[in-house]
Amino acid sequence: MAQKPSIPKGMRDFSPEEMAKRNYIFNTIREVYALYGFSQIETPAMETLQTLMGKYGEEGDKLLFKVLNSGDYLSGISDEELCQRNTPRLAARLCEKGMRYDLTVPFARYVVMHRNELTFPFKRYQIQPVWRADRPQKGRYREFYQCDGDIIGSDSLLNEVELLHIIDDVFTRLNIRVAIKLNNRKILSGIAEIIGAPEKIIDITVAIDKLDKIGLDKVNEELREKGLNEDAIARLQPIILLDGTNESKLNTLRNVLAESETGIKGIEELEFILHKLSCQPLKAQLDIDLTLARGLNYYTGAILEVKALDVQIGSITGGGRYDNLTGVFGMPNVSGVGMSFGADRIYDVLSQLDLFPSDSLQATQLMFVNFGDKEADVCMQHATYFRAQGIRTEVYPEAAKMKKQMGYADTHHIPFVALVGESEIEAGKIALKNMTSGEQQLLTPEEAIKLIAQ
RNA sequence: GUGGAUGUAGCUCAGUGGUUAGAGCACCGGAUUGUGGUUCCGGGUGUCGUGGGUUCGACUCCCAUCUUCCACCCCA
């Protein structure tokens, strides 16, 4: 007897109901992207390791799923090499492909390869799974979907504004209340500059990012450990604890960063975005948040992150401006701004708040009960007609007991059941039962369609 | 990758070093051959995650391994 089957760690099956809910999310995001003039692309599940390696830092390289070469993958490898057991080097010899880790790097590769076909600015969205050999936890999987949208080949800050509107539209449609956190990498750089530790920018942002989690004392402690002197830490305090309206935050920053050209530039960028948004306000609340650093260090300008207000969960969307997306692939000076919706976390939010609209879950609208061969023939013809009219229709395939057939309709949440037996056939009508109210009436097919369609 | 928990029926979980492993819900059959979601009757559907070990005897104790979960790391 075969063992119980299983699936790899951190990967999931999706039931019909889960798929319906997931598609509701994907469709919403797709529609909004399309409304803003984005076009969809897809890239392969695997990329060459040459494309993937070294793009996500040391940590990222470890988390890449590598794919063993096909065929005689040991040919050309000596026993000596095998015995050395140098895992990274051996992996490089045995694997030349890897599973995509995110959608941004494959997109950069895509842009470089297709640069002659593209007209810039290029606005693309991409909804595909990515794979990471991370240790799974709740809400963290080894296979999950990202829904990326990027605008590349344009330095205009209007793109940032547009992304914020897209985010606002998506979450408005999904009925999720969110707060959008906004920051600018240039401001963070300016801060590092002012306190005289520009090379510590990563350490500082990582430490500041933990404020919510570990508190001010621990953050300062960590800064100390990272080699910042007391004077620098002291100068950081007002920045770490910055509070008030977005406007007052920017004013405070303007004073603190007066001597940093970069910092002032960052402030001006944020001011521009806020000004544009004041003409066309968002429904979501928007906060300037300096603790927002984002792990990835390729961002160079605006950084954004979205949190759900009514559910305790990590960020459900993130993004920002990067100046040199394609540089590593030999195509310099392509600037872009992009973001990624975290579909799996959005799913969790909608589930917890019970916000999936019921019509997004409904599949079949009408089921014909099967009374036997002769009746079924008539039902099949009716079904063809109903389908042609756009009604999602099925005919129960067996002349099972009425109880079983009704039970089937019930568990599948089919709102209408049609009963067509001898007497109905004779009258040329169908008995249409509303499964919610229990009411039943004798109707012509046309009348039935009208009733079901409303 | 580091540290710590967890795994018994489809689901949520009881259970004891000793016969044949239980409950609720779900599910299946019947009451009911043209009417579901209510009711009544009947049914346990399981290699107790997997593989070893200790023992007269292991679901229970030990080891390994896998899964899921928690914290760190990192992140969506």
Side-chain angles (χ1 to χ4, degrees):
Chain A
M1 185 57 191
Q3 295 171 13
K4 275 182 189 170
S6 62
I7 51 175
K9 183 203 295 229
M11 304 199 171
R12 300 162 290 165
D13 286 327
F14 297 113
S15 66
E17 187 183 334
E18 287 169 322
M19 276 314 297
K21 291 177 176 177
R22 289 172 66 83
N23 280 333
Y24 164 66
I25 296 170
F26 292 139
N27 290 339
T28 302
I29 293 171
R30 235 191 301 271
E31 278 165 28
V32 174
Y33 273 137
L35 279 176
Y36 281 80
F38 285 62
S39 35
Q40 185 170 19
I41 68 161
E42 287 202 357
T43 60
M46 292 181 217
E47 295 280 344
T48 65
L49 280 179
Q50 202 185 349
T51 299
L52 261 17
M53 295 286 282
K55 307 301 189 299
Y56 309 103
E58 216 175 297
E59 199 66 33
D61 282 355
K62 279 190 220 157
L63 297 181
L64 278 174
F65 276 110
K66 300 173 186 70
V67 177
L68 193 60
N69 290 343
S70 316
D72 185 8
Y73 46 80
L74 283 181
S75 75
I77 295 182
S78 66
D79 291 355
E80 199 184 329
E81 272 178 286
L82 281 175
C83 291
Q84 280 175 356
R85 305 178 72 83
N86 183 328
T87 310
R89 182 181 302 183
L90 218 52
R93 296 290 307 274
L94 294 172
C95 310
E96 51 193 26
K97 300 180 288 294
M99 307 298 287
R100 83 165 93 74
Y101 181 87
D102 71 358
L103 300 180
T104 306
V105 167
F107 175 54
R109 190 226 79 221
Y110 177 94
V111 170
V112 173
M113 280 181 67
H114 298 269
R115 63 176 112 182
N116 293 328
E117 305 155 29
L118 300 175
T119 25
F120 297 99
F122 179 46
K123 295 157 81 168
R124 84 87 170 78
Y125 73 93
Q126 189 172 353
I127 300 176
Q128 289 189 273
V130 302
W131 294 270
R132 297 182 187 179
D134 208 351
R135 181 171 289 204
Q137 276 181 30
K138 199 191 192 83
R140 288 180 76 165
Y141 308 98
R142 289 187 152 189
E143 178 184 52
F144 61 94
Y145 273 74
Q146 291 191 331
C147 310
D148 277 28
D150 290 82
I151 305 164
I152 60 157
S154 165
D155 291 328
S156 168
L157 288 170
L158 288 180
N159 295 313
E160 274 85 337
V161 175
E162 186 164 276
L163 287 195
L164 290 166
H165 276 295
I166 290 175
I167 290 171
D168 201 42
D169 282 4
V170 165
F171 289 110
T172 301
R173 283 177 180 226
L174 293 176
N175 217 3
I176 299 175
R177 298 199 315 131
V178 296
I180 304 173
K181 311 271 187 194
L182 198 59
N183 193 5
N184 193 301
R185 199 71 180 210
K186 293 191 178 82
I187 293 178
L188 295 174
S189 299
I191 292 168
E193 205 177 295
I194 291 298
I195 64 167
E199 77 286 353
K200 295 275 195 260
I201 172 76
I202 304 281
D203 289 337
I204 293 171
T205 55
V206 167
I208 293 179
D209 197 22
K210 292 180 185 167
L211 181 64
D212 283 347
K213 236 178 193 172
I214 62 178
L216 181 60
D217 291 347
K218 289 255 172 97
V219 167
N220 286 334
E221 201 176 299
E222 184 159 333
L223 289 172
R224 229 164 269 135
E225 277 169 26
K226 295 292 181 188
L228 286 183
N229 61 42
E230 290 304 323
D231 179 48
I233 291 174
R235 294 176 75 167
L236 273 177
Q237 297 311 298
I239 286 167
I240 298 176
L241 295 171
L242 196 69
D243 208 3
T245 65
N246 291 334
E247 214 168 283
S248 71
K249 283 177 184 171
L250 284 178
N251 285 335
T252 309
L253 281 170
R254 192 178 277 280
N255 288 331
V256 179
L257 297 178
E259 290 158 39
S260 165
E261 203 181 310
T262 311
I264 293 297
K265 185 83 176 28
I267 291 167
E268 282 169 358
E269 288 182 11
L270 281 189
E271 277 174 344
F272 179 90
I273 293 169
L274 290 178
H275 174 70
K276 290 296 173 194
L277 288 175
S278 69
C279 309
Q280 251 185 307
L282 301 176
K283 293 176 193 70
Q285 82 183 57
L286 182 72
D287 302 319
I288 287 178
D289 183 353
L290 289 186
T291 71
L292 167 61
R294 301 236 82 213
L296 295 171
N297 37 36
Y298 54 71
Y299 291 122
T300 52
I303 312 169
L304 63 91
E305 202 167 278
V306 179
K307 296 213 162 192
L309 288 177
D310 302 310
V311 175
Q312 192 68 37
I313 197 166
S315 88
I316 52 179
T317 291
R321 161 75 66 172
Y322 40 81
D323 272 348
N324 198 4
L325 175 71
T326 53
V328 280
F329 297 119
M331 184 177 170
N333 304 322
V334 176
S335 171
V337 55
M339 65 175 161
S340 182
F341 290 95
D344 294 277
R345 285 189 178 168
I346 292 172
Y347 182 98
D348 288 343
V349 171
L350 289 173
S351 289
Q352 283 188 44
L353 300 177
D354 200 21
L355 286 177
F356 285 106
S358 57
D359 62 339
S360 74
L361 303 180
Q362 196 188 88
T364 300
Q365 295 168 285
L366 171 65
M367 186 196 88
F368 280 89
V369 168
N370 188 325
F371 288 115
D373 289 345
K374 220 166 136 191
E375 292 88 344
D377 285 345
V378 178
C379 289
M380 296 292 271
Q381 283 179 16
H382 276 312
T384 301
Y385 176 69
F386 276 85
R387 289 174 188 134
Q389 303 301 311
I391 306 287
R392 296 185 296 274
T393 306
E394 60 184 301
V395 179
Y396 198 86
E398 291 170 47
K401 283 178 184 160
M402 179 74 25
K403 178 178 171 117
K404 183 157 172 100
Q405 299 196 40
M406 296 301 279
Y408 176 89
D410 204 37
T411 55
H412 287 81
H413 304 114
I414 299 173
F416 291 97
V417 166
L419 300 107
V420 181
E422 257 178 68
S423 59
E424 286 87 359
I425 292 174
E426 233 169 82
K429 295 197 167 179
I430 64 179
L432 189 72
K433 181 180 170 91
N434 180 325
M435 290 296 277
T436 315
S437 65
E439 283 170 33
Q440 186 171 319
Q441 39 190 325
L442 200 60
L443 301 170
T444 66
E446 290 72 24
E447 290 167 336
I449 285 166
K450 217 176 271 178
L451 193 62
I452 295 166
Q454 24 168 283

